[in-house]
Amino acid sequence: MSEQSSAPRDPKAKSDDLAFLTPGEVFDRVDSKPQGLTSAEAAKRQEKYGKNQIETKEGEPIWLKFIKNFVSTMAILLWFGGAVAFFSGTPQLGIAIWLVNVINGLFSFFQESKASKATDALKKMLPTYSRVIRDGTEQQINAVDLVPGDIMLVEEGDKISADARLLEMTDLQVNQSALTGESNPVRKSPDQIVDHDLSRFELKNMIFAGTTVSSGNGKAVVSAIAMQTEFGKIADLTQGMKEEKSPLEKELDKLTQQISFIAIGIGLAFFAGALFFVQQPFAQAFIFSLGIIVAFIPEGLLPTVTLSLAVAVQRMAKEHALMKSLNSVETLGSTSVICSDKTGTLTQNEMTVNHVWLPGGEYLVNGQGYSPDGDVTLNGKTVTFRDSSDLELTLSGATLCSNARILPPDDEHPRYTVLGDPTEACLGVAAEKAKIDIKQLLQDNPRLRELPFDSNRKRMTTVNSLQRPIDGNKRIAFVKGAPKETSELCTTTRENGKIRPLTDDDRQKIMAANDQYARNGLRVLAVAYRPLDHDDSIPKSMTKYTPEIIEKDMVFLGLVVMADPPRVEVAAAVEKCYEANIRIIMITGDYGLTAESIAKRIGIVRGDHPRVVTGFELGKMSDDDLKTALKDEIIFARVAPEQKYRVVTNLQEMGKVVAVTGDGVNDAPALKKADIGVAMGITGTDVAKEAADMILTDDNFASIVHAVEEGRAVFDNIRKFLTYIFSSNMAEAVPSAFFLFSRGLIALPLTVMQILSIDLGTDMMPALGLGTELPEPGIMQRPPRKHGESLLTRGIVVKAFFWYGALEAILAMIAYFYANWNHTGFMGPLASSGMIYKQATTMTLGAINFSQIGNALNCRTNRESVFKVGLFKNKLVNIGIIFEICLFAVLSYTPFLQGLFHTAPLAPTDWIFLICCPFIIVGIEEARKAWLRHRDNRSKGTLEGEKA
């Protein structure tokens, strides 16, 4: 048959266009036959199409990755700063600066060397062998030798090796969670597909590489292998992405450029002033200006960033979030959109029966998950199967007409686990909550025959031999299935233990109840039965039982209603995101109605009519249309992996910082594309974990919110560090300005070596301590920082240079003049050399050091009083303050260091002056913060009054 004469098919379909052909047409299309390919033909096709294996793209060589950690913009600035220190005659300082660079580079390399192994993990998910029909006989071959057109055989427990079109099957169910994220097995059928509005994973006659056969068996013709399979396309997407810099890395590069401009600009200004205004010799002026440049390079920035990130990682680990990359911590803090899966992340991934609707009343079933803990209530009163024969028969029949089993917790699995379909598993749990002994039930009522579920009938039937007869019959057929299709088989119903005719009014009530449950996103199964013992129309031999013979004249029992409930703590976490202006978009493989119900219940969508876009609809949308749709409340349902990737890409193009959650192979491309990929630790596949930046050890969405809080704290802490460092930079520059503008009449109040002792000595430990500060109260009540917002803002510059820095500079110059006039009298001549000059410069140095103690405490909060958050709560800041005082004392009293740093011992009165400095700094700043809080409270009160 020619391609032109084949059955209609989706013009956009590729390997899956076989779904729209009949089995006979399929053989023609792939040039194969029921007896399979010959070995010779298979060899030719392998030569043409290659082997059935995931290809690995060559990544960046490890030596280049290593070098990159030492040539970032900030690293280059530090290399330059070290060289300047060598050139100015202070090699020991140059070595110190370069060591900072080396340590940071090595640390970053070892962090990032945990390169993504997602491709290796993908390969492990594919089987080693496959069963095929070749040369007319069944053979077992290496899975890599499969070729298009091979006839492949699959059965329960098999991992599928290639994409294929089903030709025959018996009760075949396939777990496609690796590709769709939905754990419920999908029932397959070899029938031709006529509906072109289905996504590829909804094609019942197609099976896919990387998925697993849950039950049954089948025969299929291979349609795609290797990188052409859906599994291979995921691998290609995952490998094809270039590693991009994190928002923090981009901001650090931008900050480095800003600092370089400031440092070199101020250095050149001081060089020109010293050379032309003070008329210093060229060499002396050059060395002086180099010292100023080094002073404005924050050598402690990289160690502080690294420490801040590392401490945040430790704190996040305690909140069940494991970070694979340090820079990802801050990325979380700038997240503006979270694209979340539904199953297992927002919900418990444990189907739970919550209602049993019977003609005689509606029962509520309490308890969560697969644990039998819980009960059944009617009108608020707890009941058991002994209180209602209708309830007992409904739950017993549903359980007997199921194949799933629940395994109790053990050492390897701390929670209840399911063997089989989760929808069936929860039926037995509901029966146990009604105090039915499941083990005894199955033992007393053995199954004699099963009529498997199929997608046309939408139901399953079992025939059981009962120990206790029902309606005088011991041989009973139980049916469970879709409410409409099942109720149409029924002619009678059971109410309060009595059988009566099923009226049209009854049917309307059944469907009305079903529709109401469905609107709330719940899944509904109908249960019915038929006595067989005294029915002459039933064949004596059970082998002759068919659906047409058995599934009629049934007695309707009731509806069993179930859902995968939201996690208990998710609603509060979603509310926290809402307060923090972080948007959550649900992207799921589940049905739209179910997704919308869950989204409304936990607060992800708040409007009455959010837009639900299916994968099929998304495929027809342009990127511009998608961006427009993403501005409003939206839910994506039944989407393919590349579509999730596309949503993330469009959000990023809109300027959003995107976090993505996922657990399956299908999520890997989006996890890698996202600014921050979040994988599930319990239910997540190795592929998802390798592609992600963060792993949730408890699979809990609430843990993401805790991590966002820590990420925001990291950015805040880096800004606190900058404020602290630049404050001393200002105080270091002002004494030099006095020297310049006095044309040398005021001897240099602070020497270059003393400036460097602050930057590389006394300031380092408190600055590192600020990097470990806990998140401030209210940090999640503000919006994410704007895209591209700089670390160094105008507010920080003003605060650091013209507030903290100005206060320090004033105290430093007072200390310098005080030390001089303490010996020469008020307004006496200023010393330019000798012991008095050294004591004066030591006092300038000490005033800056002790003022920085106050600044270290001030920088811990932006608005809140430092006394409220705990004056001594940050242990590393406390240690830093002690270190600062001790180092200053060592510099002042050690003879060798006195000569190197031009210091001298101080008198007791000098120490009293210095001790007062931090109290002055803290007192003035506390008054400013109190005024700011008062102003904020007044503004808040005014707004609330206007609303009222």
Side-chain angles (χ1 to χ4, degrees), residues 525-546:
L525 288 176
V527 184
Y529 76 97
R530 179 186 178 187
L532 302 178
D533 281 347
H534 307 299
D535 193 327
D536 294 335
S537 65
I538 303 296
K540 299 296 182 183
S541 172
M542 284 188 290
T543 59
K544 296 182 179 179
Y545 285 6
T546 64

PDB file of all heavy atoms in Angstrom, residues 525-546:
ATOM      1  N   LEU A 525     -15.313   5.767  40.665  1.00  0.00           N
ATOM      2  CA  LEU A 525     -15.544   4.427  40.133  1.00  0.00           C
ATOM      3  C   LEU A 525     -16.909   3.948  40.623  1.00  0.00           C
ATOM      4  O   LEU A 525     -17.263   4.153  41.794  1.00  0.00           O
ATOM      5  CB  LEU A 525     -14.469   3.452  40.615  1.00  0.00           C
ATOM      6  CG  LEU A 525     -13.070   3.600  40.026  1.00  0.00           C
ATOM      7  CD1 LEU A 525     -12.128   2.604  40.697  1.00  0.00           C
ATOM      8  CD2 LEU A 525     -13.087   3.368  38.523  1.00  0.00           C
ATOM      9  N   ALA A 526     -17.666   3.329  39.719  1.00  0.00           N
ATOM     10  CA  ALA A 526     -18.936   2.720  40.110  1.00  0.00           C
ATOM     11  C   ALA A 526     -18.703   1.241  40.397  1.00  0.00           C
ATOM     12  O   ALA A 526     -17.839   0.601  39.783  1.00  0.00           O
ATOM     13  CB  ALA A 526     -19.964   2.887  39.007  1.00  0.00           C
ATOM     14  N   VAL A 527     -19.465   0.683  41.357  1.00  0.00           N
ATOM     15  CA  VAL A 527     -19.354  -0.729  41.726  1.00  0.00           C
ATOM     16  C   VAL A 527     -20.742  -1.374  41.597  1.00  0.00           C
ATOM     17  O   VAL A 527     -21.743  -0.801  42.049  1.00  0.00           O
ATOM     18  CB  VAL A 527     -18.824  -0.892  43.169  1.00  0.00           C
ATOM     19  CG1 VAL A 527     -18.626  -2.379  43.490  1.00  0.00           C
ATOM     20  CG2 VAL A 527     -17.513  -0.125  43.349  1.00  0.00           C
ATOM     21  N   ALA A 528     -20.768  -2.557  40.973  1.00  0.00           N
ATOM     22  CA  ALA A 528     -22.032  -3.291  40.810  1.00  0.00           C
ATOM     23  C   ALA A 528     -21.737  -4.785  40.914  1.00  0.00           C
ATOM     24  O   ALA A 528     -20.575  -5.205  40.914  1.00  0.00           O
ATOM     25  CB  ALA A 528     -22.675  -2.953  39.466  1.00  0.00           C
ATOM     26  N   TYR A 529     -22.793  -5.576  41.018  1.00  0.00           N
ATOM     27  CA  TYR A 529     -22.589  -7.030  41.074  1.00  0.00           C
ATOM     28  C   TYR A 529     -23.751  -7.736  40.383  1.00  0.00           C
ATOM     29  O   TYR A 529     -24.816  -7.145  40.126  1.00  0.00           O
ATOM     30  CB  TYR A 529     -22.430  -7.502  42.520  1.00  0.00           C
ATOM     31  CG  TYR A 529     -23.715  -7.575  43.306  1.00  0.00           C
ATOM     32  CD1 TYR A 529     -24.412  -8.784  43.445  1.00  0.00           C
ATOM     33  CD2 TYR A 529     -24.235  -6.446  43.953  1.00  0.00           C
ATOM     34  CE1 TYR A 529     -25.589  -8.865  44.180  1.00  0.00           C
ATOM     35  CE2 TYR A 529     -25.398  -6.508  44.691  1.00  0.00           C
ATOM     36  CZ  TYR A 529     -26.081  -7.715  44.804  1.00  0.00           C
ATOM     37  OH  TYR A 529     -27.243  -7.791  45.527  1.00  0.00           O
ATOM     38  N   ARG A 530     -23.525  -9.041  40.129  1.00  0.00           N
ATOM     39  CA  ARG A 530     -24.579  -9.865  39.544  1.00  0.00           C
ATOM     40  C   ARG A 530     -24.459 -11.275  40.091  1.00  0.00           C
ATOM     41  O   ARG A 530     -23.410 -11.915  39.982  1.00  0.00           O
ATOM     42  CB  ARG A 530     -24.448  -9.899  38.021  1.00  0.00           C
ATOM     43  CG  ARG A 530     -25.523 -10.772  37.354  1.00  0.00           C
ATOM     44  CD  ARG A 530     -25.285 -10.898  35.865  1.00  0.00           C
ATOM     45  NE  ARG A 530     -26.283 -11.763  35.242  1.00  0.00           N
ATOM     46  CZ  ARG A 530     -26.263 -12.161  33.974  1.00  0.00           C
ATOM     47  NH1 ARG A 530     -25.266 -11.757  33.175  1.00  0.00           N
ATOM     48  NH2 ARG A 530     -27.201 -12.948  33.482  1.00  0.00           N
ATOM     49  N   PRO A 531     -25.531 -11.799  40.708  1.00  0.00           N
ATOM     50  CA  PRO A 531     -25.531 -13.215  41.143  1.00  0.00           C
ATOM     51  C   PRO A 531     -25.583 -14.121  39.911  1.00  0.00           C
ATOM     52  O   PRO A 531     -26.306 -13.850  38.952  1.00  0.00           O
ATOM     53  CB  PRO A 531     -26.825 -13.331  41.964  1.00  0.00           C
ATOM     54  CG  PRO A 531     -27.246 -11.915  42.259  1.00  0.00           C
ATOM     55  CD  PRO A 531     -26.755 -11.107  41.106  1.00  0.00           C
ATOM     56  N   LEU A 532     -24.823 -15.214  39.955  1.00  0.00           N
ATOM     57  CA  LEU A 532     -24.718 -16.071  38.769  1.00  0.00           C
ATOM     58  C   LEU A 532     -25.245 -17.497  38.976  1.00  0.00           C
ATOM     59  O   LEU A 532     -25.491 -18.199  37.993  1.00  0.00           O
ATOM     60  CB  LEU A 532     -23.246 -16.157  38.312  1.00  0.00           C
ATOM     61  CG  LEU A 532     -22.554 -14.841  37.965  1.00  0.00           C
ATOM     62  CD1 LEU A 532     -21.099 -15.111  37.582  1.00  0.00           C
ATOM     63  CD2 LEU A 532     -23.268 -14.124  36.832  1.00  0.00           C
ATOM     64  N   ASP A 533     -25.414 -17.923  40.227  1.00  0.00           N
ATOM     65  CA  ASP A 533     -25.725 -19.327  40.492  1.00  0.00           C
ATOM     66  C   ASP A 533     -27.039 -19.781  39.851  1.00  0.00           C
ATOM     67  O   ASP A 533     -27.139 -20.882  39.309  1.00  0.00           O
ATOM     68  CB  ASP A 533     -25.800 -19.589  42.002  1.00  0.00           C
ATOM     69  CG  ASP A 533     -24.403 -19.719  42.606  1.00  0.00           C
ATOM     70  OD1 ASP A 533     -23.442 -19.854  41.827  1.00  0.00           O
ATOM     71  OD2 ASP A 533     -24.268 -19.648  43.844  1.00  0.00           O
ATOM     72  N   HIS A 534     -28.062 -18.967  39.931  1.00  0.00           N
ATOM     73  CA  HIS A 534     -29.409 -19.418  39.517  1.00  0.00           C
ATOM     74  C   HIS A 534     -29.862 -18.758  38.226  1.00  0.00           C
ATOM     75  O   HIS A 534     -31.056 -18.598  37.991  1.00  0.00           O
ATOM     76  CB  HIS A 534     -30.409 -19.111  40.633  1.00  0.00           C
ATOM     77  CG  HIS A 534     -29.995 -19.662  41.969  1.00  0.00           C
ATOM     78  ND1 HIS A 534     -29.809 -21.019  42.183  1.00  0.00           N
ATOM     79  CD2 HIS A 534     -29.701 -19.040  43.152  1.00  0.00           C
ATOM     80  CE1 HIS A 534     -29.430 -21.215  43.436  1.00  0.00           C
ATOM     81  NE2 HIS A 534     -29.347 -20.036  44.050  1.00  0.00           N
ATOM     82  N   ASP A 535     -28.908 -18.386  37.407  1.00  0.00           N
ATOM     83  CA  ASP A 535     -29.238 -17.730  36.139  1.00  0.00           C
ATOM     84  C   ASP A 535     -28.989 -18.719  35.000  1.00  0.00           C
ATOM     85  O   ASP A 535     -27.848 -19.102  34.736  1.00  0.00           O
ATOM     86  CB  ASP A 535     -28.368 -16.478  35.959  1.00  0.00           C
ATOM     87  CG  ASP A 535     -28.871 -15.594  34.826  1.00  0.00           C
ATOM     88  OD1 ASP A 535     -29.409 -16.139  33.842  1.00  0.00           O
ATOM     89  OD2 ASP A 535     -28.716 -14.353  34.922  1.00  0.00           O
ATOM     90  N   ASP A 536     -30.054 -19.133  34.335  1.00  0.00           N
ATOM     91  CA  ASP A 536     -29.940 -20.147  33.282  1.00  0.00           C
ATOM     92  C   ASP A 536     -29.200 -19.644  32.044  1.00  0.00           C
ATOM     93  O   ASP A 536     -28.756 -20.451  31.213  1.00  0.00           O
ATOM     94  CB  ASP A 536     -31.345 -20.623  32.866  1.00  0.00           C
ATOM     95  CG  ASP A 536     -32.044 -21.358  34.011  1.00  0.00           C
ATOM     96  OD1 ASP A 536     -31.324 -21.893  34.883  1.00  0.00           O
ATOM     97  OD2 ASP A 536     -33.289 -21.381  34.012  1.00  0.00           O
ATOM     98  N   SER A 537     -29.077 -18.314  31.891  1.00  0.00           N
ATOM     99  CA  SER A 537     -28.409 -17.775  30.700  1.00  0.00           C
ATOM    100  C   SER A 537     -26.883 -17.835  30.814  1.00  0.00           C
ATOM    101  O   SER A 537     -26.181 -17.561  29.843  1.00  0.00           O
ATOM    102  CB  SER A 537     -28.839 -16.318  30.468  1.00  0.00           C
ATOM    103  OG  SER A 537     -28.382 -15.484  31.531  1.00  0.00           O
ATOM    104  N   ILE A 538     -26.391 -18.207  32.011  1.00  0.00           N
ATOM    105  CA  ILE A 538     -24.944 -18.242  32.231  1.00  0.00           C
ATOM    106  C   ILE A 538     -24.411 -19.616  31.832  1.00  0.00           C
ATOM    107  O   ILE A 538     -24.906 -20.647  32.286  1.00  0.00           O
ATOM    108  CB  ILE A 538     -24.613 -17.969  33.714  1.00  0.00           C
ATOM    109  CG1 ILE A 538     -25.196 -16.623  34.142  1.00  0.00           C
ATOM    110  CG2 ILE A 538     -23.112 -18.018  33.947  1.00  0.00           C
ATOM    111  CD1 ILE A 538     -24.615 -15.447  33.422  1.00  0.00           C
ATOM    112  N   PRO A 539     -23.375 -19.677  30.990  1.00  0.00           N
ATOM    113  CA  PRO A 539     -22.796 -20.979  30.600  1.00  0.00           C
ATOM    114  C   PRO A 539     -22.232 -21.706  31.816  1.00  0.00           C
ATOM    115  O   PRO A 539     -21.814 -21.080  32.796  1.00  0.00           O
ATOM    116  CB  PRO A 539     -21.661 -20.592  29.627  1.00  0.00           C
ATOM    117  CG  PRO A 539     -21.978 -19.206  29.180  1.00  0.00           C
ATOM    118  CD  PRO A 539     -22.709 -18.562  30.315  1.00  0.00           C
ATOM    119  N   LYS A 540     -22.248 -23.028  31.756  1.00  0.00           N
ATOM    120  CA  LYS A 540     -21.697 -23.811  32.867  1.00  0.00           C
ATOM    121  C   LYS A 540     -20.177 -23.663  32.935  1.00  0.00           C
ATOM    122  O   LYS A 540     -19.587 -23.631  34.016  1.00  0.00           O
ATOM    123  CB  LYS A 540     -22.068 -25.297  32.689  1.00  0.00           C
ATOM    124  CG  LYS A 540     -23.559 -25.573  32.689  1.00  0.00           C
ATOM    125  CD  LYS A 540     -24.191 -25.227  34.033  1.00  0.00           C
ATOM    126  CE  LYS A 540     -25.690 -25.562  34.030  1.00  0.00           C
ATOM    127  NZ  LYS A 540     -26.328 -25.160  35.316  1.00  0.00           N
ATOM    128  N   SER A 541     -19.554 -23.583  31.783  1.00  0.00           N
ATOM    129  CA  SER A 541     -18.091 -23.477  31.738  1.00  0.00           C
ATOM    130  C   SER A 541     -17.686 -22.008  31.823  1.00  0.00           C
ATOM    131  O   SER A 541     -18.135 -21.177  31.022  1.00  0.00           O
ATOM    132  CB  SER A 541     -17.554 -24.079  30.438  1.00  0.00           C
ATOM    133  OG  SER A 541     -16.169 -23.822  30.319  1.00  0.00           O
ATOM    134  N   MET A 542     -16.812 -21.707  32.804  1.00  0.00           N
ATOM    135  CA  MET A 542     -16.385 -20.322  32.970  1.00  0.00           C
ATOM    136  C   MET A 542     -15.499 -19.845  31.829  1.00  0.00           C
ATOM    137  O   MET A 542     -15.335 -18.645  31.621  1.00  0.00           O
ATOM    138  CB  MET A 542     -15.653 -20.159  34.301  1.00  0.00           C
ATOM    139  CG  MET A 542     -16.603 -20.126  35.504  1.00  0.00           C
ATOM    140  SD  MET A 542     -15.756 -19.704  37.028  1.00  0.00           S
ATOM    141  CE  MET A 542     -14.793 -21.187  37.266  1.00  0.00           C
ATOM    142  N   THR A 543     -14.918 -20.758  31.088  1.00  0.00           N
ATOM    143  CA  THR A 543     -14.087 -20.337  29.954  1.00  0.00           C
ATOM    144  C   THR A 543     -14.922 -19.655  28.876  1.00  0.00           C
ATOM    145  O   THR A 543     -14.380 -18.954  28.018  1.00  0.00           O
ATOM    146  CB  THR A 543     -13.357 -21.553  29.344  1.00  0.00           C
ATOM    147  OG1 THR A 543     -14.330 -22.525  28.918  1.00  0.00           O
ATOM    148  CG2 THR A 543     -12.399 -22.181  30.345  1.00  0.00           C
ATOM    149  N   LYS A 544     -16.239 -19.867  28.948  1.00  0.00           N
ATOM    150  CA  LYS A 544     -17.131 -19.254  27.975  1.00  0.00           C
ATOM    151  C   LYS A 544     -17.691 -17.912  28.446  1.00  0.00           C
ATOM    152  O   LYS A 544     -18.488 -17.295  27.748  1.00  0.00           O
ATOM    153  CB  LYS A 544     -18.281 -20.202  27.643  1.00  0.00           C
ATOM    154  CG  LYS A 544     -17.812 -21.483  26.955  1.00  0.00           C
ATOM    155  CD  LYS A 544     -18.996 -22.376  26.600  1.00  0.00           C
ATOM    156  CE  LYS A 544     -18.516 -23.649  25.897  1.00  0.00           C
ATOM    157  NZ  LYS A 544     -19.653 -24.543  25.556  1.00  0.00           N
ATOM    158  N   TYR A 545     -17.271 -17.493  29.638  1.00  0.00           N
ATOM    159  CA  TYR A 545     -17.730 -16.199  30.153  1.00  0.00           C
ATOM    160  C   TYR A 545     -17.141 -15.077  29.293  1.00  0.00           C
ATOM    161  O   TYR A 545     -15.926 -15.020  29.066  1.00  0.00           O
ATOM    162  CB  TYR A 545     -17.283 -15.990  31.593  1.00  0.00           C
ATOM    163  CG  TYR A 545     -18.048 -16.787  32.625  1.00  0.00           C
ATOM    164  CD1 TYR A 545     -18.992 -17.738  32.255  1.00  0.00           C
ATOM    165  CD2 TYR A 545     -17.841 -16.573  33.986  1.00  0.00           C
ATOM    166  CE1 TYR A 545     -19.682 -18.465  33.202  1.00  0.00           C
ATOM    167  CE2 TYR A 545     -18.519 -17.283  34.955  1.00  0.00           C
ATOM    168  CZ  TYR A 545     -19.452 -18.244  34.559  1.00  0.00           C
ATOM    169  OH  TYR A 545     -20.133 -18.972  35.499  1.00  0.00           O
ATOM    170  N   THR A 546     -17.981 -14.203  28.813  1.00  0.00           N
ATOM    171  CA  THR A 546     -17.537 -13.030  28.050  1.00  0.00           C
ATOM    172  C   THR A 546     -18.219 -11.797  28.641  1.00  0.00           C
ATOM    173  O   THR A 546     -19.237 -11.914  29.349  1.00  0.00           O
ATOM    174  CB  THR A 546     -17.910 -13.155  26.566  1.00  0.00           C
ATOM    175  OG1 THR A 546     -19.350 -13.180  26.457  1.00  0.00           O
ATOM    176  CG2 THR A 546     -17.307 -14.413  25.954  1.00  0.00           C
TER     177      THR A 546
END
